[in-house]
Amino acid sequence: MDKLYLDNAATTYPKPPAVAQAVYSCIANSGVNINRGCYAAAYELEEQVLDTRQLLCGLFHGPDCRNVIFTKNVTESLNVLLKGFLREGDHVLTSSMEHNAVMRPLVQLEKAGISFTRVPCDGQGRLDPDALERCLRPNTRLLVMTHASNVCGTVLPIAQAGDFCRAHGLRFFVDSAQTAGVLDLDMEAMHIDALAFTGHKGLLGPQGTGGFLLAEGLAAELEPLLSGGTGSISHTEDVPAFLPDRFEPGTLNLPGIAGLRQGLLFLRETGIANIRQHEQALAQRFLQGLRPLEEEGQLRILAGGEERVGVVSVQTLKKELSQAAFELDDRFGIMTRVGLHCAPAAHRTLGSYPVGAIRFSFGWYNTPRQTDRALEALGEVCRGA
């Protein structure tokens, strides 16, 4: 049975062949650390890491490649940003469509005297920028929000939110987990102060890679969450004040960064606009094919906004969700994700909590024929064939 991977919102698969080759080559042919070894192999690998920073800075229109900080994933990045920036008495705005990568740190920070307001989105996951004004308080210091929902694919109005933050003197942090490498992100034009990204989704890199970019001046307002050896200014036990060292203690995932670099080069060669168009076309094809099943009362589509990424979620109405997802994999080789997708807030907003949904998420390597195959299989599972 040919397997069909439709879980690209969790991690993209397959990767461009050069990604795996770069990871292997780094381990097999280099295997050194940067910022420590004073020899050619270390300098050569450091050039690759620098090039990766430059590629990310260019992709996101960041201020300087030194402001690119590497972490393990977007979750770690958001924890570093939120816990390093917020202080007792601060108030935060966020959307009602957030992933737990945002919500769990905020709930945790409540115990430290920090409050937050969930700005309500509608039943399609859309945020009205005017709602931000109604939730503003005198002690509001930050807006943190996702760029697109990992549940229904709706794209949130990041540019308008950035204008709002600039007008009210707020810092603006963005979770780009579902959009980096798929939608255009311009930190300067969108007034984004900190952009958290993950390497293993739209950027087509390996798991265990990610990071964040900082606007100029923000680093001084962030207390490092971790500290330790950096290979720089080793004569002092103080945390370095300069970037990227201030937020990069310990040994980086260098094989992962080498792989991420190849993913970024593939994106540059292929073109983000082409990737976006391809994934959105597959999602629209899938949505259109779902309509007859919805009209039969076999399933409910979790509605998304007009502007969306390649994510579609459904609830099967005559079969338990996990059973339907199991049959899709067991009988048809179709891999999806079922449940609450680490986003209970989004499911509450969409009216799918606590049951959850089955998520189909499309990537660059999926095809229209595969989309039709998934539709046919889902129809058989729903109808009990």
Side-chain angles (χ1 to χ4, degrees), residues 344-358:
H347 278 282
R348 287 189 180 96
T349 301
L350 299 169
S352 49
Y353 184 88
V355 177
I358 302 173

Side-chain angles (χ1 to χ4, degrees), residues 161-181:
D163 290 340
F164 169 83
C165 289
R166 176 61 61 92
H168 293 279
L170 308 181
R171 289 294 193 179
F172 186 30
F173 296 176
V174 172
D175 172 0
S176 71
Q178 295 300 323
T179 58

Side-chain angles (χ1 to χ4, degrees), residues 59-286:
L59 178 64
F60 299 129
H61 301 273
D64 191 296
C65 69
R66 291 172 294 184
N67 294 37
V68 176
I69 312 299
F70 288 116
T71 64
K72 296 192 297 295
N73 45 56
V74 73
T75 300
E76 181 178 324
S77 297
L78 289 163
N79 271 268
V80 171
L81 292 166
L82 293 171
K83 295 175 181 177
F85 178 73
L86 294 169
R87 305 288 183 267
E88 182 178 0
D90 287 344
H91 175 251
V92 182
L93 297 178
T94 192
S95 85
S96 69
M97 290 297 293
E98 298 304 313
H99 188 278
N100 276 345
V102 168
M103 294 316 305
R104 283 183 172 171
L106 289 181
V107 170
Q108 193 177 24
L109 286 165
E110 277 190 305
K111 300 171 184 176
I114 293 157
S115 59
F116 66 89
T117 297
R118 304 173 199 252
V119 182
C121 298
D122 69 13
Q124 296 185 28
R126 297 174 299 190
L127 176 71
D128 180 359
D130 292 337
L132 294 169
E133 191 85 37
R134 296 191 292 271
C135 296
L136 195 64
R137 297 182 186 175
N139 60 331
T140 304
R141 192 168 173 227
L142 169 70
L143 169 61
V144 56
M145 60 188 288
T146 188
H147 191 188
S149 169
N150 71 313
V151 176
C152 66
T154 298
V155 176
L156 277 67
I158 293 298
Q160 295 94 319
D163 290 340
F164 169 83
C165 289
R166 176 61 61 92
H168 293 279
L170 308 181
R171 289 294 193 179
F172 186 30
F173 296 176
V174 172
D175 172 0
S176 71
Q178 295 300 323
T179 58
V182 179
L183 300 183
D184 293 327
L185 278 158
D186 187 325
M187 288 186 66
E188 182 178 7
M190 296 174 172
H191 307 309
I192 298 170
D193 293 297
L195 179 70
F197 67 90
T198 200
H200 67 102
K201 299 188 182 188
L203 299 183
L204 302 173
Q207 290 100 325
T209 59
F212 56 90
L213 285 78
L214 296 176
E216 291 293 1
L218 180 58
E221 301 177 44
L222 292 174
E223 187 65 27
L225 187 63
L226 302 171
S227 59
T230 58
S232 59
I233 59 167
S234 296
H235 66 283
T236 176
E237 295 173 344
D238 292 326
V239 176
F242 54 86
L243 298 177
D245 297 44
R246 181 168 175 79
F247 302 104
E248 284 186 353
T251 302
L252 295 175
N253 178 5
L254 298 172
I257 293 172
L260 175 60
R261 175 174 173 268
Q262 290 300 323
L264 292 165
L265 290 172
F266 179 88
L267 285 177
R268 188 172 68 180
E269 179 181 349
T270 305
I272 285 180
N274 293 326
I275 292 174
R276 177 174 64 249
Q277 182 179 18
H278 176 75
E279 294 182 4
Q280 290 177 343
L282 294 181
Q284 289 300 326
R285 185 186 188 98
F286 190 69

